[in-house]
Amino acid sequence: METKTRITVLNHILALNLDVNIWSARKKLTPADFGGSQLPPEELASLGSKRICNPEELRIFGTLKSRAVNMLDRHGIRFLGGWGVPEKVADEIVKELEDIQKDFFAANEDFLNRYDEAVQDWIKQYPGWEKLIGSSTVSAEYVRSRMGFKWQFFKLSAPEKGSVKKGLKEEINKLGGTLFDEIAKTATDTWNKCYAGKVKVTHKALSPLRSIHSKLNGLSFVDPRVLPITDLLQTAFEKVPPRGLIRGADLLMLQGVVSLLRDPTLLINHGQKLLDGYKAEDLLDGLITVPTTSTVKPIPETSNPTPTHMTQSETQHQIDSHGLW
């Protein structure tokens, strides 16, 4: 089923660009580094680079960047080379980015304070190559200029002229599909980490599903079929006992929900069915009904759904078992 987000989504969304710079600790190799040795012509082969500092010293900065990216992926959707985030959670996102930025700057100061020592320790690890490394070292101030952590928010508006607006409109049209695809990827990771082959799980297994619920809830304006899926997830949470291990029918239900989330097309179809009037409880009951064949009967197409009078077989849906049955 096709998704097509309306351009009015710009009334609710902000574009965010994350701008993180991390010094590579590399310099380009030159012919002079090889003392006049015969090298192939540049048209045939190009020289690589040399490390002038231990890459482990810079690992923390990559970790902090990943932390920011993961946070933005939880709240927003990839859009225009950055993220589209709900305007109503912008302040929350800024707070989290500021916390990460603070850690980034603190790590940078710590690194710069021992930078010269770190370079010398790196050189000592490679006796005989001191000149190769030492000839390319840079100052701590140069390194400072190559490090940065910042971001920019933009409020977008579509141009009036149709031909000028076309490119932006095309990107907005894809937002619904992008959102469902991102949910599917997260759900697949969740399945592999928390649910695959499990006969019991703790309540920690609900955490990634709650993150999915929060993302869908925040971005419900992207597609009308999103909000019914958030209601489905909330209903599933309410069916799980508040404490203790999750097993049996409750676990099977959650595994069925994750399997549903893993399939964007199926998820969109069921979002539409819920939008048309089918009840979340009926769909969840269908997920834990073990069918007699490998194919679960789909909801019948009808212009007048009567979910409150549906039989058990009518609540079953076409869902890949993923080994559940």
Side-chain angles (χ1 to χ4, degrees):
M1 185 177 291
E2 183 183 3
T3 65
K4 195 171 183 180
T5 302
R6 296 177 180 272
I7 202 162
T8 52
V9 74
L10 293 178
N11 295 330
H12 309 283
I13 202 169
L14 294 175
L16 185 149
N17 175 58
L18 179 66
D19 189 6
V20 180
N21 296 313
I22 302 173
W23 179 55
S24 68
R26 291 175 179 267
K27 290 297 287 292
K28 184 179 179 180
L29 284 168
T30 67
D33 290 323
F34 297 94
S37 300
Q38 183 66 35
L39 298 175
E42 291 185 0
E43 294 82 4
L44 177 62
S46 60
L47 295 173
S49 62
K50 52 187 173 181
R51 290 192 175 101
I52 58 176
C53 185
N54 191 338
E56 289 298 316
E57 296 279 357
L58 300 165
R59 183 180 295 274
I60 180 61
F61 302 107
T63 299
L64 290 169
K65 180 179 180 179
S66 295
R67 181 175 147 195
V69 168
N70 291 337
M71 182 273 292
L72 292 172
D73 281 340
R74 288 198 311 272
H75 289 291
I77 181 174
R78 297 297 178 121
F79 180 52
L80 298 178
W83 286 265
V85 299
E87 188 168 10
K88 62 184 180 181
V89 299
D91 289 340
E92 178 183 347
I93 289 173
V94 168
K95 175 64 169 59
E96 294 195 52
L97 286 173
E98 286 176 341
D99 289 342
I100 300 171
Q101 184 189 58
K102 181 179 178 181
D103 292 342
F104 187 97
F105 287 163
N108 193 33
E109 286 304 314
D110 179 64
F111 172 60
L112 292 174
N113 287 337
R114 53 188 173 79
Y115 168 72
D116 291 333
E117 180 183 351
V119 170
Q120 291 306 313
D121 287 344
W122 180 246
I123 292 174
K124 290 176 184 177
Q125 291 185 43
Y126 298 94
W129 297 98
E130 294 88 349
K131 184 177 180 181
L132 178 71
I133 302 172
S135 63
S136 297
T137 57
V138 296
S139 68
E141 286 307 307
Y142 173 84
V143 176
R144 185 188 298 276
S145 72
R146 310 300 292 180
M147 304 286 277
F149 188 105
K150 56 186 178 179
W151 60 89
Q152 304 85 34
F153 279 99
F154 303 94
K155 181 68 175 177
L156 301 176
S157 61
E160 292 294 332
K161 190 175 180 181
S163 59
V164 179
K165 181 169 62 176
K166 181 180 178 182
L168 178 60
K169 187 176 181 180
E170 289 175 350
E171 291 301 311
I172 292 172
N173 283 344
K174 296 186 292 186
L175 279 177
T178 299
L179 176 58
F180 287 114
D181 287 343
E182 289 182 1
I183 293 301
K185 181 180 183 301
T186 302
T188 296
D189 292 340
T190 300
W191 172 265
N192 293 332
K193 293 176 182 177
C194 303
Y195 290 96
K198 300 294 178 65
V199 296
K200 59 184 178 181
V201 298
T202 69
H203 275 70
K204 288 182 179 180
L206 291 176
S207 180
L209 290 179
R210 293 191 188 281
S211 292
I212 289 174
H213 176 270
S214 178
K215 176 169 178 167
L216 287 171
N217 191 52
L219 292 165
S220 59
F221 53 81
V222 166
D223 187 287
R225 290 161 293 197
V226 172
L227 193 57
I229 299 300
T230 66
D231 293 339
L232 174 71
L233 283 168
Q234 184 60 41
T235 302
F237 297 151
E238 292 169 357
K239 283 180 171 289
V240 176
R243 57 184 62 86
L245 292 173
I246 303 171
R247 62 178 86 205
D250 293 324
L251 176 58
L252 189 61
M253 174 196 67
L254 291 177
Q255 288 172 320
V257 168
V258 177
S259 295
L260 176 64
L261 294 170
R262 293 175 67 186
D263 187 328
T265 301
L266 196 61
L267 187 59
I268 293 169
N269 287 337
H270 281 74
Q272 184 63 52
K273 291 299 181 184
L274 290 167
L275 198 63
D276 290 341
Y278 289 95
K279 296 179 68 175
E281 291 86 350
D282 294 330
L283 192 152
L284 292 174
D285 287 343
L287 295 182
I288 61 174
T289 302
V290 181
T292 57
T293 65
S294 59
T295 301
V296 187
K297 185 178 179 181
I299 298 175
E301 295 288 344
T302 173
S303 58
N304 297 299
T306 54
T308 57
H309 303 292
M310 293 168 62
T311 65
Q312 187 180 52
S313 63
E314 288 174 323
T315 64
Q316 295 175 334
H317 307 287
Q318 177 71 35
I319 298 178
D320 189 334
S321 70
H322 291 289
L324 295 179
W325 47 74

